[in-house]
Amino acid sequence: MAEVEPRSEPEAQAPSRAGILLLCGGAFALLLTGLLLWWREGTRLFTDGLIATLVACF
């Protein structure tokens, strides 16, 4: 029977680390987008968004 070589540790953890970095990068991008919208629109964004959310629920 042929022996199978075990995978080394850095290769085994590379996909999960890349996935975590991708998720963190996406969350950071969403946060920056929200902050930019808040800076540009101010409280109007909150009240309009709140009203739109309530209307969508009912």
Side-chain angles (χ1 to χ4, degrees):
M1 280 180 81
E3 292 184 26
V4 177
E5 294 181 22
R7 292 175 60 173
S8 64
E9 287 298 317
E11 290 177 11
Q13 293 180 359
S16 64
R17 177 172 284 176
I20 290 172
L21 286 175
L22 187 62
L23 285 174
C24 289
F28 185 68
L30 285 175
L31 180 66
L32 280 177
T33 304
L35 287 174
L36 180 63
L37 279 172
W38 184 265
W39 178 66
R40 300 266 307 170
E41 300 297 326
T43 56
R44 184 175 49 145
L45 178 70
F46 176 73
T47 50
D48 290 348
L50 183 62
I51 292 169
T53 303
L54 289 174
V55 168
C57 288
F58 299 103

